[in-house]
mmCIF file of all heavy atoms in Angstrom:
data_model
loop_
_atom_site.group_PDB
_atom_site.id
_atom_site.type_symbol
_atom_site.label_atom_id
_atom_site.label_comp_id
_atom_site.label_asym_id
_atom_site.label_seq_id
_atom_site.Cartn_x
_atom_site.Cartn_y
_atom_site.Cartn_z
ATOM 1 N N THR A 195 -20.498 42.399 -1.598
ATOM 2 C CA THR A 195 -20.554 43.090 -2.896
ATOM 3 C C THR A 195 -19.792 42.249 -3.883
ATOM 4 O O THR A 195 -18.940 41.466 -3.572
ATOM 5 C CB THR A 195 -19.914 44.478 -2.794
ATOM 6 O OG1 THR A 195 -18.490 44.326 -2.451
ATOM 7 C CG2 THR A 195 -20.568 45.285 -1.692
ATOM 8 N N PRO A 196 -20.115 42.405 -5.227
ATOM 9 C CA PRO A 196 -19.326 41.703 -6.249
ATOM 10 C C PRO A 196 -17.803 41.926 -6.173
ATOM 11 O O PRO A 196 -17.065 41.045 -6.397
ATOM 12 C CB PRO A 196 -19.922 42.213 -7.576
ATOM 13 C CG PRO A 196 -21.308 42.594 -7.235
ATOM 14 C CD PRO A 196 -21.233 43.150 -5.827
ATOM 15 N N ARG A 197 -17.437 43.150 -5.818
ATOM 16 C CA ARG A 197 -16.005 43.468 -5.695
ATOM 17 C C ARG A 197 -15.324 42.579 -4.619
ATOM 18 O O ARG A 197 -14.284 41.989 -4.807
ATOM 19 C CB ARG A 197 -15.818 44.942 -5.353
ATOM 20 C CG ARG A 197 -14.326 45.326 -5.206
ATOM 21 C CD ARG A 197 -14.180 46.751 -4.645
ATOM 22 N NE ARG A 197 -14.818 47.769 -5.494
ATOM 23 C CZ ARG A 197 -14.198 48.269 -6.542
ATOM 24 N NH1 ARG A 197 -12.934 47.984 -6.821
ATOM 25 N NH2 ARG A 197 -14.823 49.206 -7.307
ATOM 26 N N GLU A 198 -16.032 42.445 -3.484
ATOM 27 C CA GLU A 198 -15.431 41.625 -2.372
ATOM 28 C C GLU A 198 -15.503 40.141 -2.773
ATOM 29 O O GLU A 198 -14.522 39.420 -2.442
ATOM 30 C CB GLU A 198 -16.259 41.865 -1.091
ATOM 31 C CG GLU A 198 -16.088 43.294 -0.501
ATOM 32 C CD GLU A 198 -17.090 43.520 0.562
ATOM 33 O OE1 GLU A 198 -18.274 43.208 0.405
ATOM 34 O OE2 GLU A 198 -16.654 44.091 1.629
ATOM 35 N N GLU A 199 -16.547 39.669 -3.380
ATOM 36 C CA GLU A 199 -16.593 38.273 -3.746
ATOM 37 C C GLU A 199 -15.556 37.922 -4.793
ATOM 38 O O GLU A 199 -14.946 36.901 -4.724
ATOM 39 C CB GLU A 199 -18.011 37.963 -4.264
ATOM 40 C CG GLU A 199 -18.208 36.502 -4.630
ATOM 41 C CD GLU A 199 -19.575 36.151 -5.048
ATOM 42 O OE1 GLU A 199 -20.575 36.982 -4.864
ATOM 43 O OE2 GLU A 199 -19.825 35.042 -5.600
ATOM 44 N N LEU A 200 -15.326 38.852 -5.720
ATOM 45 C CA LEU A 200 -14.343 38.616 -6.795
ATOM 46 C C LEU A 200 -12.954 38.607 -6.176
ATOM 47 O O LEU A 200 -12.113 37.798 -6.529
ATOM 48 C CB LEU A 200 -14.456 39.665 -7.851
ATOM 49 C CG LEU A 200 -15.656 39.514 -8.792
ATOM 50 C CD1 LEU A 200 -15.808 40.784 -9.673
ATOM 51 C CD2 LEU A 200 -15.532 38.264 -9.686
ATOM 52 N N ARG A 201 -12.710 39.552 -5.241
ATOM 53 C CA ARG A 201 -11.356 39.571 -4.633
ATOM 54 C C ARG A 201 -11.051 38.255 -3.886
ATOM 55 O O ARG A 201 -9.986 37.733 -4.000
ATOM 56 C CB ARG A 201 -11.297 40.785 -3.712
ATOM 57 C CG ARG A 201 -9.954 40.935 -3.060
ATOM 58 C CD ARG A 201 -9.711 42.273 -2.381
ATOM 59 N NE ARG A 201 -10.494 42.370 -1.139
ATOM 60 C CZ ARG A 201 -11.403 43.332 -0.929
ATOM 61 N NH1 ARG A 201 -11.642 44.237 -1.843
ATOM 62 N NH2 ARG A 201 -12.073 43.373 0.243
ATOM 63 N N GLU A 202 -12.064 37.786 -3.169
ATOM 64 C CA GLU A 202 -11.861 36.564 -2.455
ATOM 65 C C GLU A 202 -11.624 35.391 -3.394
ATOM 66 O O GLU A 202 -10.799 34.552 -3.148
ATOM 67 C CB GLU A 202 -13.114 36.303 -1.525
ATOM 68 C CG GLU A 202 -12.930 35.047 -0.662
ATOM 69 C CD GLU A 202 -14.170 34.837 0.235
ATOM 70 O OE1 GLU A 202 -15.263 35.386 -0.077
ATOM 71 O OE2 GLU A 202 -14.041 34.088 1.249
ATOM 72 N N THR A 203 -12.466 35.346 -4.440
ATOM 73 C CA THR A 203 -12.377 34.181 -5.405
ATOM 74 C C THR A 203 -11.041 34.208 -6.148
ATOM 75 O O THR A 203 -10.388 33.210 -6.345
ATOM 76 C CB THR A 203 -13.512 34.218 -6.359
ATOM 77 O OG1 THR A 203 -14.760 34.253 -5.699
ATOM 78 C CG2 THR A 203 -13.472 33.029 -7.309
ATOM 79 N N VAL A 204 -10.551 35.385 -6.536
ATOM 80 C CA VAL A 204 -9.291 35.488 -7.263
ATOM 81 C C VAL A 204 -8.145 35.122 -6.328
ATOM 82 O O VAL A 204 -7.198 34.454 -6.769
ATOM 83 C CB VAL A 204 -9.121 36.900 -7.857
ATOM 84 C CG1 VAL A 204 -7.774 37.086 -8.457
ATOM 85 C CG2 VAL A 204 -10.194 37.197 -8.909
ATOM 86 N N ARG A 205 -8.187 35.568 -5.139
ATOM 87 C CA ARG A 205 -7.115 35.194 -4.154
ATOM 88 C C ARG A 205 -7.082 33.674 -3.974
ATOM 89 O O ARG A 205 -5.991 33.064 -3.904
ATOM 90 C CB ARG A 205 -7.325 35.901 -2.859
ATOM 91 C CG ARG A 205 -7.042 37.380 -2.837
ATOM 92 C CD ARG A 205 -7.059 37.935 -1.428
ATOM 93 N NE ARG A 205 -5.998 37.398 -0.632
ATOM 94 C CZ ARG A 205 -4.776 37.930 -0.606
ATOM 95 N NH1 ARG A 205 -4.504 38.969 -1.311
ATOM 96 N NH2 ARG A 205 -3.801 37.393 0.142
ATOM 97 N N HIS A 206 -8.203 33.046 -3.819
ATOM 98 C CA HIS A 206 -8.228 31.636 -3.664
ATOM 99 C C HIS A 206 -7.683 30.887 -4.924
ATOM 100 O O HIS A 206 -6.954 29.922 -4.802
ATOM 101 C CB HIS A 206 -9.648 31.131 -3.414
ATOM 102 C CG HIS A 206 -10.182 31.532 -2.091
ATOM 103 N ND1 HIS A 206 -11.454 31.265 -1.647
ATOM 104 C CD2 HIS A 206 -9.574 32.100 -1.000
ATOM 105 C CE1 HIS A 206 -11.631 31.684 -0.437
ATOM 106 N NE2 HIS A 206 -10.527 32.211 0.007
ATOM 107 N N ALA A 207 -8.039 31.471 -6.104
ATOM 108 C CA ALA A 207 -7.542 30.839 -7.359
ATOM 109 C C ALA A 207 -6.074 31.021 -7.532
ATOM 110 O O ALA A 207 -5.413 30.169 -8.088
ATOM 111 C CB ALA A 207 -8.275 31.505 -8.514
ATOM 112 N N ALA A 208 -5.483 32.122 -6.992
ATOM 113 C CA ALA A 208 -4.044 32.358 -7.174
ATOM 114 C C ALA A 208 -3.197 31.554 -6.244
ATOM 115 O O ALA A 208 -2.024 31.381 -6.418
ATOM 116 C CB ALA A 208 -3.757 33.816 -6.994
ATOM 117 N N ALA A 209 -3.824 31.021 -5.120
ATOM 118 C CA ALA A 209 -3.002 30.379 -4.107
ATOM 119 C C ALA A 209 -2.300 29.110 -4.663
ATOM 120 O O ALA A 209 -2.958 28.171 -5.146
ATOM 121 C CB ALA A 209 -3.952 29.932 -2.975
ATOM 122 N N GLY A 210 -0.998 29.115 -4.573
ATOM 123 C CA GLY A 210 -0.208 27.959 -4.928
ATOM 124 C C GLY A 210 -0.106 27.758 -6.474
ATOM 125 O O GLY A 210 0.480 26.731 -6.917
ATOM 126 N N THR A 211 -0.556 28.701 -7.300
ATOM 127 C CA THR A 211 -0.403 28.514 -8.697
ATOM 128 C C THR A 211 1.081 28.677 -9.133
ATOM 129 O O THR A 211 1.844 29.301 -8.468
ATOM 130 C CB THR A 211 -1.243 29.527 -9.505
ATOM 131 O OG1 THR A 211 -0.931 30.841 -9.041
ATOM 132 C CG2 THR A 211 -2.706 29.236 -9.316
ATOM 133 N N VAL A 212 1.397 28.158 -10.314
ATOM 134 C CA VAL A 212 2.781 28.242 -10.811
ATOM 135 C C VAL A 212 2.946 28.899 -12.127
ATOM 136 O O VAL A 212 4.021 29.223 -12.597
ATOM 137 C CB VAL A 212 3.443 26.849 -10.876
ATOM 138 C CG1 VAL A 212 3.560 26.248 -9.505
ATOM 139 C CG2 VAL A 212 2.647 25.917 -11.754
ATOM 140 N N ASN A 213 1.805 29.114 -12.827
ATOM 141 C CA ASN A 213 1.846 29.782 -14.149
ATOM 142 C C ASN A 213 0.500 30.359 -14.542
ATOM 143 O O ASN A 213 -0.475 30.159 -13.845
ATOM 144 C CB ASN A 213 2.373 28.787 -15.225
ATOM 145 C CG ASN A 213 1.519 27.549 -15.261
ATOM 146 O OD1 ASN A 213 0.308 27.610 -15.260
ATOM 147 N ND2 ASN A 213 2.154 26.389 -15.326
ATOM 148 N N GLU A 214 0.494 31.101 -15.599
ATOM 149 C CA GLU A 214 -0.747 31.789 -16.052
ATOM 150 C C GLU A 214 -1.820 30.771 -16.449
ATOM 151 O O GLU A 214 -2.970 31.016 -16.156
ATOM 152 C CB GLU A 214 -0.412 32.721 -17.268
ATOM 153 C CG GLU A 214 0.510 33.870 -16.877
ATOM 154 C CD GLU A 214 0.971 34.619 -18.146
ATOM 155 O OE1 GLU A 214 0.599 34.157 -19.269
ATOM 156 O OE2 GLU A 214 1.669 35.655 -18.020
ATOM 157 N N THR A 215 -1.457 29.725 -17.105
ATOM 158 C CA THR A 215 -2.440 28.774 -17.556
ATOM 159 C C THR A 215 -3.259 28.216 -16.329
ATOM 160 O O THR A 215 -4.448 28.153 -16.324
ATOM 161 C CB THR A 215 -1.775 27.594 -18.284
ATOM 162 O OG1 THR A 215 -1.137 28.162 -19.466
ATOM 163 C CG2 THR A 215 -2.793 26.606 -18.744
ATOM 164 N N GLU A 216 -2.485 27.814 -15.355
ATOM 165 C CA GLU A 216 -3.135 27.269 -14.125
ATOM 166 C C GLU A 216 -4.023 28.321 -13.473
ATOM 167 O O GLU A 216 -5.173 28.063 -13.075
ATOM 168 C CB GLU A 216 -2.112 26.732 -13.133
ATOM 169 C CG GLU A 216 -2.766 26.085 -11.919
ATOM 170 C CD GLU A 216 -1.668 25.471 -10.989
ATOM 171 O OE1 GLU A 216 -0.491 25.917 -11.095
ATOM 172 O OE2 GLU A 216 -2.040 24.670 -10.113
#
Side-chain angles (χ1 to χ4, degrees):
T195 63
R197 180 188 298 274
E198 292 170 315
E199 184 176 347
L200 287 169
R201 183 167 70 238
E202 182 179 20
T203 304
V204 173
R205 288 187 67 86
H206 290 175
T211 54
V212 295
N213 54 47
E214 292 171 358
T215 300
E216 184 178 18

